[in-house]
Amino acid sequence: MYKLHNVISILLNKDKIVIRIKEKATHDSIVDELKEKMPKLKRFYQDEKVPILVTGKVLQQKDMDEIKRLINKSIDVKVEFDKPTVLGLQGIKQTYRQSIGTSPTKFYKISLRSGQKIEFEGSIVILGDVNHGAEVIAEDNIVVLGNLRGMAHAGAKGNQEAIISAHVIDSPQIRIASNILERSREEIESQAFTYAFVNQAGNIEMTR
């Protein structure tokens, strides 16, 4: 069986070490690459033992158990898993409970490729991914059941109550009304967010 390479990246943050796993990584690829990168991981623990956060790909329990076993075999450290909320009908219901219940909504059963653009005078639900270079613009809310990597602009005509929600938000830039949030590659890789809204201070805030 063909195994993917370069599916794991290791980042050192202020209060934790982040292991980022790519979405398309297979179980065997994750295990093999983690074994290869254990010497690099162990070098971070010469002075102190900050916890490890595993993020990126949504893992099955057997994957999490194997990753934790491999790490703890060499390093006595706390291993946590960042498990984004999986959106479905329940996720959409929870999203709209905090937003515009009467908003006209259009569903798109596609994944958007680079260069593609969708606009709608209401809310948009995409039953797929929004890839790098694609754009989604809605007057109200944007919900992506897959991963959001492209540019999303909710509340495009000034609606500060609009939200953006996705399985994982990996976009370098999102917009809500006139507010813009830009994220570096390091910020995107260090933590998985699923929900974005405008807080009381008038800034875009992201949560899981």
Side-chain angles (χ1 to χ4, degrees):
M1 180 184 294
Y2 176 75
K3 295 178 183 177
L4 298 172
H5 298 283
N6 299 319
V7 298
I8 292 177
S9 59
I10 300 175
L11 302 170
L12 177 60
N13 282 1
K14 182 179 179 181
D15 58 350
K16 62 181 174 290
I17 289 174
V18 177
I19 297 177
R20 175 85 172 187
I21 301 176
K22 291 186 178 178
E23 180 191 354
K24 294 183 180 180
T26 64
H27 175 82
D28 290 343
S29 297
I30 294 170
V31 171
D32 289 348
E33 192 164 330
L34 184 57
K35 288 178 180 178
E36 292 175 5
K37 292 187 174 181
M38 279 305 301
K40 176 182 177 181
L41 187 60
K42 289 176 69 174
R43 285 198 294 271
F44 289 128
Y45 287 94
Q46 293 178 356
D47 299 322
E48 56 182 328
K49 291 185 178 180
V50 295
I52 291 175
L53 175 67
V54 182
T55 186
K57 179 181 174 70
V58 178
L59 300 167
Q60 296 182 8
Q61 188 61 48
K62 67 174 184 178
D63 298 320
M64 292 189 284
D65 291 342
E66 181 71 3
I67 289 169
K68 188 173 182 179
R69 185 189 68 79
L70 283 172
I71 293 174
N72 288 152
K73 185 177 179 181
S74 300
I75 309 168
D76 181 17
V77 64
K78 184 177 181 181
V79 181
E80 300 175 332
F81 294 87
D82 187 11
K83 294 182 284 187
T85 304
V86 178
L87 284 177
L89 292 178
Q90 182 178 0
I92 294 174
K93 183 178 179 181
Q94 291 172 347
T95 293
Y96 280 94
R97 192 177 297 153
Q98 303 180 49
S99 55
I100 306 167
T102 58
S103 173
T105 303
K106 192 164 186 178
F107 288 77
Y108 294 87
K109 194 178 180 181
I110 58 172
S111 288
L112 294 184
R113 301 187 303 273
S114 178
Q116 292 185 307
K117 182 178 181 180
I118 286 178
E119 296 182 72
F120 182 61
E121 296 179 354
S123 295
I124 292 174
V125 177
I126 296 177
L127 310 179
D129 297 323
V130 177
N131 291 303
H132 295 292
E135 294 183 43
V136 183
I137 301 173
E139 288 190 14
D140 295 322
N141 309 294
I142 295 174
V143 177
V144 180
L145 268 68
N147 290 341
L148 173 58
R149 305 184 185 96
M151 198 283 288
H153 187 179
K157 289 191 175 180
N159 180 9
Q160 296 275 350
E161 300 298 319
I163 58 89
I164 297 172
S165 185
H167 178 59
V168 177
I169 301 176
D170 278 344
S171 303
Q173 183 186 104
I174 58 173
R175 304 178 185 182
I176 300 177
S178 60
N179 307 286
I180 299 174
L181 176 65
E182 295 186 342
R183 304 165 68 205
S184 66
R185 177 48 51 188
E186 290 75 17
E187 289 173 324
I188 293 171
E189 291 181 348
S190 66
Q191 199 165 20
F193 291 108
T194 64
Y195 189 82
F197 63 98
V198 177
N199 61 26
Q200 292 183 348
N203 301 314
I204 296 178
E205 183 175 331
M206 301 183 72
T207 64
R208 290 197 295 271

